[in-house]
């Protein structure tokens, strides 16, 4: 009985001490090496056109991501977030280290025309994605006003 108990304890300790040496250790620095910036903004007769530049300067593949643009809502003492977001076009899966993409966003004039509560001059851009594999622990998010994101 004692030998069996000792054997079970030994097996449990051995299993608990085993680690996967191939486990990826994503750091804040890796996330900092993923940048999203507003490359250009232009106006057409139908609305506003934006080009966003996504650069993966991290050590890992961005497996999946969504890039969105929204316009803050003006309030008496500043602005607040807007839940209405426009998803970018031209995105893809598996963005490798060193790769950059140019994504486009179109905001139709009907969305903002005559609405003085929308801050068109300071769009909010954000990326939600996964590093190396689509699992909760590998999720990341970066976002902010485009002026803030220039230094990200």
């Amino acid at each position: 009985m004692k030998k069996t108990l000792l054997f079970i304890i030994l097996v449990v300790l051995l299993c608990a001490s085993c680690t996967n040496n191939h486990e990826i250790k994503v750091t804040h620095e890796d996330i900092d090496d993923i940048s999203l910036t507003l490359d250009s903004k232009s106006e057409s007769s139908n609305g506003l056109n934006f080009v966003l530049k996504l650069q993966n300067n991290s050590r890992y593949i961005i497996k999946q991501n969504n890039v969105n643009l929204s316009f803050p809502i003006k309030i008496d003492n500043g602005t607040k977030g807007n839940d209405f977001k426009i998803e970018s076009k031209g995105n893809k899966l598996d963005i490798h280290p060193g790769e950059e993409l140019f994504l486009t966003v179109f905001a139709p004039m009907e969305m903002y025309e005559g609405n003085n509560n929308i801050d068109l001059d300071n769009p909010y851009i954000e990326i939600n994605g996964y590093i190396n594999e689509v699992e909760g622990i590998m999720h990341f998010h970066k976002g902010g006003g485009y002026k803030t994101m220039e230094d990200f």
Side-chain angles (χ1 to χ4, degrees), residues 13-80:
L13 289 174
L14 283 174
C15 289
S17 66
C18 291
T19 60
N20 183 353
N21 291 334
H22 301 290
E23 190 173 304
I24 296 171
K25 302 289 187 204
V26 178
T27 65
H28 289 290
E29 289 79 19
D30 293 315
I31 303 305
D32 288 343
D33 288 338
I34 297 170
S35 68
L36 178 63
T37 56
L38 178 63
D39 191 62
S40 67
K41 173 185 171 183
S42 62
E43 193 168 349
S44 70
S45 60
N46 298 332
L48 298 172
N49 296 292
F50 298 88
V51 176
L52 307 176
K53 182 166 66 170
L54 172 59
Q55 291 180 289
N56 182 9
N57 293 317
S58 75
R59 303 175 292 158
Y60 302 108
I61 295 172
I62 301 173
K63 288 300 286 182
Q64 176 181 326
N65 74 91
N66 292 312
V67 175
N68 299 303
L69 180 140
S70 63
F71 298 105
I73 298 170
K74 296 177 187 176
I75 57 176
D76 290 338
N77 59 350
T79 60
K80 69 176 186 174

Side-chain angles (χ1 to χ4, degrees), residues 76-120:
D76 290 338
N77 59 350
T79 60
K80 69 176 186 174
N82 188 345
D83 289 336
F84 182 76
K85 299 175 182 179
I86 306 168
E87 188 172 352
S88 65
K89 297 198 184 301
N91 209 342
K92 68 176 207 157
L93 300 175
D94 294 343
I95 302 169
H96 292 270
E99 192 172 352
E100 72 179 25
L101 288 177
F102 288 92
L103 311 170
T104 59
V105 177
F106 176 70
M109 187 178 287
E110 296 82 12
M111 184 182 109
Y112 58 84
E113 190 174 49
N115 187 344
N116 294 330
N117 295 325
I118 295 179
D119 186 356
L120 296 173

